Amino acid sequence: MPRLISRPEPAPTYSNLVGFIFIFNLIVGTGALTLPGVFAKAGWVLSLIVIILLASISYMTVTFIIEAMACANAIKNWQTLQALRHHSRSSAENSENDDAAETSDDHGSDLRELERVPLTIQNAENHYYQLSHKFELGEMATIFFNEIGRIMFFLCLIVYLYGDLSIYSAAVSRSLRDVICDQSNATDALSSRQMFWAGDFRNNTAQPCWKEHTISRLSVYRVILIGFTLIFGPFAAFSIQKTKYLQILTAIFRWMAFTLMICISLKLLISRGPRGHPVSFNVYGIPSLFGACVYSFMCHHSLPSLLAPLKHKLMVSKILSYDYTIICAFYIVLAMTGIFAFDRIEDLYTLNFLPYDVDYTDFTSGLLIGIDYFLALFPIFTLSTSFPIIAVTLKNNLQTLFLDMSRYDTYSPFVRILFPLCAIIPPFCVTYFTESLASLVAFTGSYAGTGIQYIIPVFLVYFARRTCSELLGSGIVNSFESPFKSSAWLIFVIVWSILCVCLVTVNMIS
């Protein structure tokens, strides 16, 4: 009588719409608020060309990640089937030796049947290449890279993710501190809310937060930082699905903020005509344009965690194409309306909408004050929901680096909780003792970010294609294959990444 095998509980999933929202939230950050400023400097025609090109190339490398993940699943499935075939043969041979006289015909039939099963499965087009098993970038690097490549990958990824978490923690704490603390004048308010430039963190934190109290701005910053870490840090111990409702809520706030800024700009254009007269081309603005735009479409580091729970995985490329198209359109509309509606664009675009020294007198003034606070808090909403996704991604890759993930369920609870703590404690320590993160922003965003968005996807898909071709041959179709199949595309992305690094370096030096 055949033994009944209990099936494991299915992993939690979410719909395509929720997946779309997750990816949208991860890509669209406060960096989008710097785009109108660089559009005005580089020229609107040149900026339009560059941002469409950047979106296209970033989508290209995203398809490389998807294909590499499907190849990793194919290798896992191939290894499982080979082990099954070997086990089936051994079991059948042992059974035949034990009772060859009575059951030789039956076992011979069983053996022939077991031999045919893997061959039948191999002919199924969608069996090997799947996205059912979540392979983090670190796991794929372990499969496809040699030891040196694996070390370089983890160094690049961990530096970038730790830098991201530190920047997010400091930016949220600073922004909220600047909202609740008194501002001596508009100039201080402007400088204190600029979060991502060389002199952005130069702030006299010894000043009191409120004139009538002695508590310093630094103390308020640290209290907010502790609260932020306690609220959002525990999400690192869970999966990304646990943040589903938080992501949906933030997506609503994000659409409201962008829609509000676009509508106000359009109203100003209609009511008073264009105040801004930007040039069409300014080659001297190219470095700053690249510095602000090159990572406006980054989601590669967290892509495996976002894609694995999708219900309909064959739709993944279409979902991502919708995300990139809508996000690119948002960026363009936001920047184009802004540079023509205002005669001067602030580095952080929300500052163009803040009415200073407005007292509440009627409904209109109250509405302006409400818009003031909503747009001031918008970076906080944006970064707060990206923080758990980045933390989960960092935790997963740290586990991949130091643990045998095939034996993960056998590790003690202490080991399981250690890695979420390792993901959130170092950024907390860095941002608790210093706000001066300008160099960290420049390094992690420019160099580690280039590696993750451009270089790593190219090498992953190259070695993934070669490995799968050797194991499975070319007869089995990969349903998740990138439409950019030619090796010329890989060379193009490498050349592009070198160009981006050079331009961003020029921007940082200048």
Side-chain angles (χ1 to χ4, degrees):
M1 185 178 205
R3 184 179 58 178
L4 295 177
I5 300 176
S6 60
R7 294 186 178 181
E9 291 294 326
T13 60
Y14 47 67
S15 65
N16 293 345
L17 177 61
V18 175
F20 171 87
I21 293 172
F22 271 45
I23 296 170
F24 182 91
N25 283 350
L26 183 63
I27 295 176
V28 179
T30 53
L33 302 178
T34 68
L35 293 179
V38 296
F39 266 52
K41 295 174 183 176
W44 65 274
V45 174
L46 178 61
S47 300
L48 197 62
I49 296 172
V50 168
I51 198 168
I52 294 175
L53 186 60
L54 283 167
S56 303
I57 296 176
S58 185
Y59 175 74
M60 184 190 307
T61 55
V62 159
T63 63
F64 292 163
I65 295 290
I66 296 171
E67 181 179 346
M69 187 175 170
C71 289
N73 272 268
I75 293 172
K76 175 181 170 61
N77 292 332
W78 180 85
Q79 292 173 339
T80 300
L81 286 174
Q82 297 307 309
L84 176 64
R85 292 182 64 182
H86 177 74
H87 177 73
S88 299
R89 286 177 178 176
S90 300
S91 299
E93 289 173 359
N94 291 336
S95 298
E96 286 177 351
N97 292 333
D98 290 341
D99 199 2
E102 296 180 3
T103 59
S104 57
D105 293 339
D106 292 338
H107 282 301
S109 176
D110 291 342
L111 180 59
R112 286 191 296 272
E113 183 65 24
L114 288 169
E115 287 284 353
R116 284 196 297 268
V117 169
L119 295 175
T120 304
I121 293 175
Q122 287 180 14
N123 292 328
E125 180 177 342
N126 296 325
H127 176 75
Y128 282 112
Y129 293 100
Q130 299 177 353
L131 298 179
S132 56
H133 183 80
K134 181 187 69 176
F135 282 93
E136 294 286 352
L137 292 186
E139 294 177 276
M140 289 190 279
T142 302
I143 294 172
F144 299 123
F145 294 164
N146 58 23
E147 189 62 25
I148 296 177
R150 181 173 175 267
I151 293 173
M152 294 296 293
F153 164 81
F154 276 107
L155 179 63
C156 177
L157 181 66
I158 290 173
V159 166
Y160 179 82
L161 295 178
Y162 270 128
D164 258 6
L165 292 178
S166 300
I167 294 163
Y168 287 11
S169 300
V172 169
S173 303
R174 282 175 51 86
S175 295
L176 190 55
R177 187 268 314 272
D178 292 342
V179 169
I180 65 177
C181 287
D182 293 334
Q183 297 292 340
S184 57
N185 53 51
T187 303
D188 291 340
L190 287 173
S191 62
S192 65
R193 288 175 181 167
Q194 293 176 358
M195 296 180 293
F196 296 105
W197 294 270
D200 53 355
F201 289 102
R202 297 170 187 171
N203 188 35
N204 187 4
T205 53
Q207 290 182 350
C209 185
W210 300 281
K211 294 179 181 178
E212 61 273 15
H213 296 282
T214 58
I215 183 171
S216 67
R217 295 168 60 86
L218 177 60
S219 297
V220 174
Y221 163 83
R222 287 178 171 174
V223 169
I224 296 172
L225 176 64
I226 293 171
F228 174 78
T229 305
L230 290 176
I231 293 172
F232 293 97
F235 282 106
F238 303 102
S239 62
I240 286 181
Q241 295 96 298
K242 300 295 184 182
T243 68
K244 178 172 69 174
Y245 297 108
L246 182 64
Q247 299 294 329
I248 294 173
L249 179 63
T250 307
I252 295 172
F253 282 123
R254 234 171 254 203
W255 283 79
M256 285 175 59
F258 279 111
T259 303
L260 187 61
M261 288 185 283
I262 291 171
C263 289
I264 293 175
S265 299
L266 288 174
K267 180 181 180 300
L268 293 175
L269 282 172
I270 295 171
S271 61
R272 68 184 188 186
R275 293 288 184 90
H277 303 281
V279 297
S280 56
F281 278 89
N282 179 17
V283 292
Y284 295 104
I286 289 180
S288 60
L289 179 64
F290 270 78
C293 297
V294 72
Y295 307 113
S296 298
F297 300 96
M298 170 78 83
C299 68
H300 302 61
H301 46 73
S302 298
L303 200 59
S305 296
L306 294 173
L307 299 185
L310 276 175
K311 286 184 180 179
H312 307 289
K313 295 182 174 62
L314 289 175
M315 299 286 291
V316 60
S317 295
K318 185 175 292 186
I319 294 171
L320 283 162
S321 66
Y322 292 159
D323 262 309
Y324 272 82
T325 302
I326 293 175
I327 290 170
C328 185
F330 252 109
Y331 287 166
I332 291 172
V333 174
L334 181 74
M336 297 295 282
T337 55
I339 62 177
F340 286 101
F342 299 97
D343 55 351
R344 181 176 182 272
I345 300 294
E346 302 292 346
D347 288 329
L348 197 64
Y349 187 47
T350 51
L351 299 177
N352 282 91
F353 301 91
L354 303 184
Y356 296 106
D357 301 324
V358 176
D359 297 325
Y360 177 78
T361 56
D362 53 17
F363 175 79
T364 302
S365 62
L367 182 62
L368 291 176
I369 293 172
I371 293 173
D372 183 346
Y373 280 102
F374 178 74
L375 293 179
L377 293 172
F378 173 67
I380 299 173
F381 299 142
T382 301
L383 298 180
S384 295
T385 51
S386 295
F387 185 92
I389 297 179
I390 303 295
V392 170
T393 301
L394 178 58
K395 176 205 68 174
N396 292 342
N397 282 280
L398 288 173
Q399 289 174 342
T400 302
L401 180 60
F402 294 105
L403 301 179
D404 181 1
M405 295 307 294
S406 63
R407 298 176 49 246
Y408 180 74
D409 292 336
T410 65
Y411 291 106
S412 66
F414 171 77
V415 174
R416 296 188 188 187
I417 201 65
L418 177 63
F419 287 91
L421 292 175
C422 289
I424 62 176
I425 289 178
F428 170 79
C429 293
V430 170
T431 51
Y432 184 87
F433 291 105
T434 179
E435 295 181 65
S436 181
L437 301 177
S439 58
L440 183 62
V441 173
F443 181 80
T444 58
S446 300
Y447 302 107
T450 298
I452 293 169
Q453 189 173 12
Y454 298 134
I455 298 175
I456 288 174
V458 166
F459 283 98
L460 274 179
V461 77
Y462 173 77
F463 287 108
R465 289 171 179 174
R466 192 172 72 175
T467 303
C468 286
S469 177
E470 293 173 355
L471 286 180
L472 307 176
S474 58
I476 302 176
V477 178
N478 182 358
S479 301
F480 301 96
E481 186 178 32
S482 169
F484 308 97
K485 304 176 185 179
S486 172
S487 298
W489 290 113
L490 305 182
I491 298 173
F492 168 74
V493 174
I494 292 294
V495 173
W496 174 263
S497 63
I498 295 172
L499 175 64
C500 289
V501 168
C502 294
L503 289 173
V504 172
T505 303
V506 170
N507 181 48
M508 289 193 301
I509 294 174
S510 62

